[in-house]
């Protein structure tokens, strides 16, 4: 069986599959789907090898582990599985069911991982959307409270007026100095220029006063108003950027959920054995004969030692 295709994830899934095949959960599911107790208590098995149908689950699980051999080849990313049974069809059936249950487990984990990723991204979008909405509402209330749609532009407009008034004031002061060089101070023309200078200075003080204090709250300067407004603008910009990033992350998570999956492929299907691999009759016969000869030799030595001792 091939684990997940590509990268470190495949190694992790391969070890997960190996552990799952040796778990209580799959033993229970195999009992429900193929009735392992009946299979391993078959009449074809000798008395010493077959499973007692009435054993506890732990004894049944230990017996199940003794009848399977599974290991994960991390270099090839392949899970190898061998299953023993007393009938060829039963061994193939159990192996095929183990592959199916393992595939379901891998798909379930993969589906849960993709679902969690999309849900997390969606929650981040909701949080960013709420933050952006709150910042925009705060900015709206600020504008409504101070009667300023855009304090920055208003300040720029006032600054422009002040600059023009200062230029005009400088021009009239220059004109006044020029008139004084050849006219009397009491002349009507000098009086008119003085009046214009006074009016300009009065308007200039008024415009500068607008920049240094708020009409609604004299204790609050216009610079403070601008600072609060710019802070709200920065927060609103950050909230907009966070929302845009969260939406992009959600789209990426959805694309990954549709594209990335963990795969468990049985590239070699469980086969039907045509000859029994166990028991190895020749090995058993040779082992029994060898053990018998050793036991016979040991008994002969013990008997000889007893006879020698009796003579003494």
């Amino acid at each position: 069986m091939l684990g997940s295709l590509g990268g470190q994830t495949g190694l992790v899934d391969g070890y997960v599959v190996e552990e799952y095949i040796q778990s209580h959960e799959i033993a229970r599911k195999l009992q429900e789907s193929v009735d392992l107790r009946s299979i391993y208590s078959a009449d074809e098995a000798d008395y010493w090898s077959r499973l007692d149908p009435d054993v506890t689950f732990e004894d049944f699980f230990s017996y199940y582990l003794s009848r399977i051999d599974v290991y994960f080849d991390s270099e090839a990313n392949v899970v190898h599985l061998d299953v023993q049974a007393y009938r060829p069809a039963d061994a193939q059936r159990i192996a095929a069911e183990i592959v199916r249950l393992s595939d379901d487990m891998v798909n379930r984990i993969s589906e849960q991982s993709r679902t969690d990723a999309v849900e997390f991204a969606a929650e981040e979008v909701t949080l960013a959307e709420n933050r952006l909405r709150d910042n925009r509402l705060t900015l709206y209330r600020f504008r409504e409270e101070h009667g300023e749609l855009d304090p920055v532009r208003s300040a720029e407009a006032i600054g422009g007026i002040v600059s023009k008034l200062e230029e005009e004031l400088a021009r009239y002061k220059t004109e006044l100095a020029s008139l004084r060089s050849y006219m009397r101070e009491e002349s009507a023309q000098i009086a008119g220029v003085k009046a214009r200078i006074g009016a300009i200075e009065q308007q200039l003080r008024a415009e500068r006063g607008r920049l240094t204090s708020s009409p609604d709250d004299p204790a609050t300067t216009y610079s403070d108003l601008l600072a609060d407004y710019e802070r709200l603008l920065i927060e609103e910009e950050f909230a907009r950027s966070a929302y845009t990033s969260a939406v992009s992350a959600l789209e990426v998570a959805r694309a990954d959920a549709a594209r990335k999956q963990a795969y468990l492929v049985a590239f070699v299907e469980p086969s039907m054995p045509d000859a029994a691999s166990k028991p190895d009759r020749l090995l058993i016969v040779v082992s029994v004969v060898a053990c018998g000869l050793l036991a016979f030799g040991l008994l002969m030595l013990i008997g000889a030692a007893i006879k020698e001792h009796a003579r003494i």
Side-chain angles (χ1 to χ4, degrees):
M1 292 178 287
L2 286 175
S4 296
L5 302 182
Q8 184 68 21
T9 304
L11 299 180
V12 175
D13 287 342
Y15 287 118
V16 169
V17 171
E18 181 182 10
E19 291 299 322
Y20 179 71
I21 293 175
Q22 302 176 88
S23 68
H24 288 76
E25 179 181 351
I26 197 171
R28 290 190 178 93
K29 291 184 176 180
L30 287 170
Q31 175 57 31
E32 294 174 358
S33 58
V34 298
D35 194 4
L36 286 183
R37 290 179 182 264
S38 297
I39 291 176
Y40 285 127
S41 60
D43 295 335
E44 287 86 344
D46 62 87
Y47 177 78
W48 302 106
S49 299
R50 64 178 171 227
L51 174 69
D52 184 355
D54 299 325
V55 296
T56 63
F57 178 80
E58 290 301 327
D59 291 337
F60 161 73
F61 178 66
S62 299
Y63 188 91
Y64 161 73
L65 293 179
S66 70
R67 292 294 177 260
I68 64 168
D69 183 17
V70 57
Y71 70 95
F72 175 55
D73 185 351
S74 59
E75 294 184 1
N77 197 20
V78 174
V79 179
H80 298 266
L81 172 66
D82 291 326
V83 177
Q84 300 174 11
Y86 298 112
R87 289 186 289 254
D90 289 340
Q92 184 185 37
R93 182 184 174 193
I94 295 171
E97 187 65 12
I98 289 176
V99 171
R100 185 188 70 80
L101 292 174
S102 300
D103 184 51
D104 290 345
M105 181 272 298
V106 170
N107 290 335
R108 184 172 67 252
I109 293 176
S110 177
E111 177 66 23
Q112 185 63 46
S113 176
R114 297 195 304 270
T115 301
D116 290 345
V118 173
E119 288 180 353
F120 176 78
E123 290 176 358
E124 290 297 311
V125 169
T126 301
L127 292 175
E129 184 178 1
N130 292 335
R131 177 186 175 188
L132 180 60
R133 184 186 301 110
D134 292 341
N135 278 277
R136 287 183 172 176
L137 182 60
T138 303
L139 192 60
Y140 169 78
R141 290 174 177 171
F142 178 88
R143 288 168 174 167
E144 189 177 49
E145 179 183 353
H146 296 282
E148 291 282 357
L149 184 62
D150 191 344
V152 175
R153 291 186 179 179
S154 298
E156 291 175 352
I158 295 173
I161 294 173
V162 170
S163 297
K164 290 181 180 180
L165 289 174
E166 288 176 344
E167 290 177 1
E168 192 173 355
L169 179 61
R171 182 168 59 82
Y172 278 111
K173 284 184 176 181
T174 301
E175 183 179 351
L176 178 61
S178 177
L179 291 175
R180 281 175 173 170
S181 65
Y182 61 89
M183 288 186 179
R184 289 184 175 183
E185 192 71 23
E186 296 84 5
S187 64
Q189 195 169 357
I190 289 180
V193 173
K194 285 183 176 180
R196 292 191 186 95
I197 290 175
I200 292 174
E201 288 178 342
Q202 183 178 359
Q203 186 179 1
L204 190 58
R205 285 192 298 270
E207 295 298 334
R208 286 174 175 171
R210 292 175 61 188
L211 287 175
T212 56
S213 63
S214 173
D216 299 329
D217 186 7
T220 303
T221 64
Y222 208 84
S223 59
D224 294 336
L225 188 68
L226 285 174
D228 292 340
Y229 180 72
E230 289 179 350
R231 177 180 57 79
L232 293 176
L233 283 180
I234 293 173
E235 291 178 356
E236 194 264 347
E237 182 64 27
F238 281 155
R240 186 187 300 112
S241 299
Y243 176 74
T244 303
S245 299
V247 171
S248 300
L250 177 59
E251 294 301 321
V252 171
R254 286 175 175 169
D256 289 343
R259 181 176 64 254
K260 292 182 179 179
Q261 293 187 11
Y263 298 92
L264 184 69
V265 181
F267 68 97
V268 176
E269 294 294 337
S271 59
M272 174 83 74
D274 58 0
S277 60
K278 293 183 179 181
D280 191 336
R281 294 175 174 82
L282 178 60
L283 178 61
I284 292 175
V285 170
V286 172
S287 299
V288 170
V289 171
C291 290
L293 291 175
L294 288 174
F296 178 76
L298 181 61
L299 291 175
M300 292 294 293
L301 289 174
I302 294 173
I306 293 173
K307 290 180 180 178
E308 187 67 25
H309 182 72
R311 290 177 184 174
I312 297 173

